[in-house]
Amino acid sequence: MSNGKFAISVHILTLLASEPGEYCSSEYLSGSININPVLVRKELVNLRNHGLVISKEGKSGGSTLAKPAELIAMSDIYEAVREKQFLGKSINDPNPACTIGRQINEHLDNLYLESERALMKSLENMTLAGFLQKFS
């Protein structure tokens, strides 16, 4: 996931977990991440659509976790930002006359599936609360 959405979303959620019950503004969040608040708001919409944050508008508005950090698995965050292909896909059509070429995409698909399963298993075993503890 080279686009950075997972890292940005984990950063946002870790900040929110560090301020339980508080509504944090996108400006505050973007200041820590060091990105434009518009990008933070875009990720917040996605996280809200996946039930990980709630937001309110207005002067005292902002975003907060939708549920306790102990109930948010890192795999939940990954699922919220997951791209279609875990490691990518070949951009060309291999030569069907080649022994390797005619089978490569099938074997790569299986490799990617196995790799993503291993990643998900690892992420399922860590909660946002556990991740937050690394910062104390």
Side-chain angles (χ1 to χ4, degrees):
M1 185 165 295
S2 61
N3 63 14
K5 287 184 178 186
F6 182 74
I8 291 170
S9 293
V10 168
H11 196 145
I12 289 169
L13 293 169
T14 303
L15 284 166
L16 297 179
S18 73
E19 303 283 341
E22 298 292 321
Y23 282 83
C24 298
S25 71
S26 55
E27 288 78 16
Y28 169 77
L29 298 169
S30 68
S32 177
I33 303 169
N34 201 25
I35 62 173
N36 190 301
V38 171
L39 297 174
V40 169
R41 286 191 284 274
K42 185 175 179 181
E43 292 309 313
L44 285 168
V45 167
N46 183 52
L47 295 171
R48 187 171 56 242
N49 290 341
H50 284 88
L52 298 175
V53 301
I54 54 176
S55 302
K56 67 178 184 177
E57 295 181 19
K59 187 175 182 178
S60 62
S63 297
T64 191
L65 293 180
K67 53 189 170 184
E70 295 81 13
L71 299 178
I72 299 174
M74 298 303 279
S75 58
D76 297 330
I77 303 167
Y78 175 79
E79 283 292 336
V81 300
R82 183 176 182 264
E83 296 293 323
K84 292 179 185 174
Q85 295 293 326
F86 177 58
L87 294 174
K89 187 98 172 154
S90 178
I91 59 172
N92 63 331
D93 292 322
N95 182 348
C98 173
T99 305
I100 301 299
R102 72 173 160 256
Q103 299 177 53
I104 190 73
N105 285 332
E106 175 186 347
H107 293 301
L108 282 173
D109 287 345
N110 290 333
L111 175 65
Y112 295 167
L113 184 61
E114 290 172 24
S115 299
E116 189 168 30
R117 283 185 188 144
L119 172 66
M120 287 300 288
K121 186 174 182 172
S122 175
L123 293 175
E124 287 169 357
N125 291 324
M126 180 179 286
T127 65
L128 181 60
F131 187 75
L132 176 62
Q133 289 177 350
K134 296 178 181 292
F135 298 89
S136 29

